[in-house]
Amino acid sequence: MAAAQGAGGGSAGPSGPPASAPGHGSGSTAVAVWEWQDEFGRWRPYRGNVCSYIEQVIQASQQKGRRSGSGLVSSIPLGHADPALAPYVIDIPSLTQFRQDTGTMRAVRRHVFPGDSAAGQGIVWEWQNDEGGWSPYEMNVCVFLEQARATNHQRVDLGPLGYNYEVDFVAQVQTNKSTRFRRSVQRRLDAPYPVTTSTTPLHTGVGCSCQQCWPNSGTGPITTRYRHSTNSPNSATAHQVPGRTASVSSSNVGFVPYNKPALTGARSTPRLNAQNNLVLAQTGSLSAALAASNGVSAQALPVKMSKSSRVSQALAATPTEPESVVKKYLEELKGAPADEDCMICMEKLSSPSGYSDSCPSSSIRPEAVGRLRNCQHSFHLLCVLAMYSNGNKDGSLQCPSCKTIYGEKTGTQPKGKMEISTFPQSLPGHKDCGTIRIVYHISRGIQGPEHPNPGMPYTARGFPRYCYLPDNEKGRKVLELLKVAWKRRLIFTVGTSNTTGESNTVVWNEIHHKTEMDSNHSGHGYPDPNYLDNVLAELAAQGVTEDCLGQ
């Protein structure tokens, strides 16, 4: 695929904005561009021939509907336009792209641009990714760059469009304004996007105030995105790491837990559910965007990490009979302490258990008292049985007094995947090392017997979730323990979000994560000199300690 030459000669271009910018002109020819939304909230254009096919199918469906009274086509298989897109289908009613082999769903939109814009001329601007291939900018940026080139700008700042980059048309490079890392860019001629007779206002390439551009219109540019999305989307498009200073060194491990055997009765109330959004910088006109100086600094485009390997997990502890678990970890006492209370039922240990009516047992007497073998705390055996039966039934016990854990504690985290990567950029407060990035993937599903409402659906908002650790000795130790916690289903649970109040949703489960990489606006970022020690304590409270690493 040959690249057309970028703009820029020896003469200096004007320093100000172009004299005019295309606007919402109702008499202009318009072209339709279909785009899909990656996990960064950025829109990625389908190629011109794919957009033409989508438009043709919809137009044919509309004509047929007018004749027969039938509804609009409900789905469009993209493999008919491009064999490389064979797994993908666009669901028109929901404006969603569905990948049939993985079930991944992404938003799509139809965007209208002026016929004399880059889209109408089939011009695509691209940047060189880490594999040496070329990745397209979103169409908004392509239109922006093409007009800047057409008005003889030698250099343009992408800050007003939400990118922390400058593009030099003469050198044909993109420069990160923070790190000064440079990538090649190119201008490529492709098939023009399809002409449309749509009467909706034309879009100039930058978010404006017309109905088309509002987030709730279903077609305009989204105004928020997840702050730390650095995983590759479901296409060949690669992404650039924020503040990149050297070539990426990736060490990727994927964890895909098995379905755990049926559990019962767990009720976990999470304390933390941090979802951080960053509002994209927008401007009202292309002229204003071109005129803007370095006054806007936004998240850089992330890098595409090498493909993750997957490591199969061991199953969590197999459920056993509750009475067997109680007798395994407690030694029955011959005589109960006369003046000591059972802190579970608050009755005297010399009296029968307060749970003798609600938790009868054929093998444990109501007056039986036992002592935990390690911490030596004493309780009614029947009270411990009731406590265990109302929990995860995973074969583990936790002392109600000192929180000592017996056995391997597991949680109720739904099935998902954990990915780990490293890159050289430092976190605030950890300038002497690179960064570990953790990506958690969990999809919506149906609650199992271990969840609050078995059989009911649960949602999974804000996934994938991106978390960061310093790549030093203590950070790597925390990472290894988080892997153990993930395998034991302790990182997330199904419950009620303290942030949104939504119930039956996936939430954090008392092991705090840092979800901001380069700031600490929410309290879940860096610098935080106490974070690693705090999270080690939280992991230990879940029974995840250094002793687990040798197992």
Side-chain angles (χ1 to χ4, degrees):
M1 207 178 290
Q5 291 299 313
S11 60
S15 58
S20 63
H24 288 12
S26 59
S28 303
T29 302
V31 295
V33 177
W34 284 80
E35 299 172 297
W36 59 274
Q37 188 184 31
D38 65 19
E39 59 265 40
F40 315 103
R42 299 293 190 184
W43 293 97
R44 302 297 180 189
Y46 294 103
R47 296 190 62 171
N49 64 314
V50 176
C51 293
S52 295
Y53 173 73
I54 296 171
E55 288 288 299
Q56 290 169 9
V57 173
I58 291 178
Q59 290 173 12
S61 173
Q62 289 173 334
Q63 293 171 1
K64 181 179 178 181
R66 283 192 290 267
R67 291 193 304 266
S68 63
S70 59
L72 189 66
V73 62
S74 61
S75 62
I76 302 176
L78 299 185
H80 293 177
D82 183 349
L85 299 180
Y88 301 100
V89 174
I90 290 181
D91 180 73
I92 295 299
S94 64
L95 284 179
T96 301
Q97 172 192 275
F98 176 73
R99 180 164 179 164
Q100 300 175 83
D101 54 348
T102 64
T104 301
M105 294 185 291
R106 300 192 184 276
V108 299
R109 71 175 182 182
R110 179 183 184 268
H111 222 170
V112 179
F113 290 88
D116 59 356
S117 68
Q121 300 173 64
I123 295 170
V124 179
W125 284 87
E126 301 173 316
W127 52 272
Q128 191 168 34
N129 57 46
D130 293 328
E131 289 73 37
W134 295 93
S135 299
Y137 290 99
E138 60 181 292
M139 188 53 67
N140 287 344
V141 178
C142 294
V143 171
F144 181 86
L145 290 173
E146 185 60 21
Q147 189 183 357
R149 173 184 179 273
T151 50
N152 298 320
H153 284 68
Q154 288 190 350
R155 184 180 293 106
V156 67
D157 181 6
L158 298 185
L161 277 74
Y163 292 92
N164 193 32
Y165 296 112
E166 294 174 343
V167 172
D168 187 321
F169 293 116
V170 179
Q172 292 187 255
V173 295
Q174 166 198 278
T175 303
N176 185 304
K177 292 189 292 184
S178 300
T179 67
R180 310 313 297 173
F181 184 83
R182 289 155 58 108
R183 292 181 183 272
S184 296
V185 299
Q186 71 172 16
R187 176 180 180 267
R188 179 173 58 81
L189 295 176
D190 202 355
Y193 283 85
V195 174
T196 179
T197 57
S198 170
T199 58
T200 56
L202 300 186
H203 194 272
T204 64
V206 180
C208 62
S209 59
C210 69
Q211 184 183 14
Q212 176 182 212
C213 301
W214 288 106
N216 60 5
S217 71
T219 58
I222 192 164
T223 57
T224 59
R225 66 184 174 97
Y226 296 123
R227 184 174 183 82
H228 300 296
S229 296
T230 47
N231 189 28
S232 29
N234 60 346
S235 81
T237 304
H239 301 280
Q240 307 169 35
V241 146
R244 181 185 167 106
T245 57
S247 59
V248 168
S249 167
S250 293
S251 171
N252 297 320
V253 184
F255 295 89
V256 185
Y258 292 102
N259 286 323
K260 188 178 176 183
L263 307 172
T264 59
R267 298 292 186 271
S268 180
T269 304
R271 295 182 304 186
L272 172 66
N273 182 18
Q275 294 183 13
N276 303 308
N277 293 329
L278 174 67
V279 176
L280 296 180
Q282 293 190 340
T283 183
S285 71
L286 194 57
S287 299
L290 286 171
S293 60
N294 296 340
V296 178
S297 177
Q299 284 288 94
L301 287 175
V303 74
K304 179 183 179 183
M305 302 294 182
S306 58
K307 185 176 181 181
S308 299
S309 58
R310 294 188 178 187
V311 178
S312 297
Q313 291 186 195
L315 287 170
T318 303
T320 55
E321 289 298 320
E323 287 86 351
S324 300
V325 175
V326 171
K327 293 177 179 179
K328 177 180 180 181
Y329 297 121
L330 287 93
E331 177 184 9
E332 186 171 356
L333 300 179
K334 293 182 179 179
D339 298 326
E340 191 172 334
D341 292 338
C342 173
M343 69 173 300
I344 299 176
C345 70
M346 303 309 296
E347 299 285 350
K348 293 289 185 182
L349 287 175
S350 55
S351 302
S353 166
Y355 284 90
S356 55
D357 293 333
S358 59
C359 186
S361 170
S362 59
S363 61
I364 296 178
R365 296 174 290 110
E367 61 273 14
V369 174
R371 178 184 292 136
L372 286 165
R373 299 182 185 277
N374 294 339
C375 65
Q376 298 294 296
H377 289 114
S378 299
F379 310 92
H380 289 118
L381 290 179
L382 203 57
C383 290
V384 177
L385 177 65
M387 180 185 71
Y388 177 81
S389 299
N390 194 44
N392 207 10
K393 289 187 180 178
D394 58 1
S396 73
L397 276 180
Q398 187 164 18
C399 175
S401 178
C402 66
K403 308 305 180 186
T404 297
I405 293 175
Y406 295 80
E408 183 177 293
K409 180 181 178 181
T410 61
T412 61
Q413 174 180 287
K415 182 178 180 181
K417 183 172 67 173
M418 176 185 185
E419 295 178 341
I420 300 100
S421 304
T422 61
F423 53 90
Q425 184 185 354
S426 298
L427 294 166
H430 298 278
K431 299 297 184 183
D432 57 342
C433 64
T435 297
I436 298 168
R437 188 199 70 182
I438 305 170
V439 187
Y440 293 114
H441 301 263
I442 294 180
S443 301
R444 62 190 179 186
I446 302 298
Q447 296 182 50
E450 72 272 32
H451 293 134
N453 296 292
M456 287 185 60
Y458 63 82
T459 60
R461 311 290 187 191
F463 286 92
R465 296 191 186 181
Y466 297 80
C467 309
Y468 303 92
L469 292 169
D471 193 7
N472 56 24
E473 183 178 358
K474 186 175 283 188
R476 289 188 289 271
K477 174 183 173 181
V478 170
L479 172 65
E480 293 305 312
L481 294 175
L482 287 175
K483 291 181 187 178
V484 175
W486 173 264
K487 289 193 288 184
R488 295 183 182 179
R489 304 177 68 190
L490 295 169
I491 303 292
F492 297 95
T493 187
V494 175
T496 299
S497 168
N498 285 349
T499 303
T500 65
E502 181 183 11
S503 58
N504 299 310
T505 191
V506 179
V507 293
W508 295 102
N509 187 39
E510 302 187 8
I511 300 175
H512 286 69
H513 285 62
K514 292 297 187 182
T515 54
E516 289 188 74
M517 179 179 172
D518 56 357
S519 62
N520 196 16
H521 300 307
S522 67
H524 305 303
Y526 293 93
D528 183 346
N530 299 317
Y531 169 65
L532 294 178
D533 290 328
N534 290 341
V535 76
L536 285 171
E538 291 173 338
L539 286 160
Q542 301 285 349
V544 181
T545 64
E546 286 187 76
D547 295 339
C548 304
L549 300 181
Q551 299 176 1

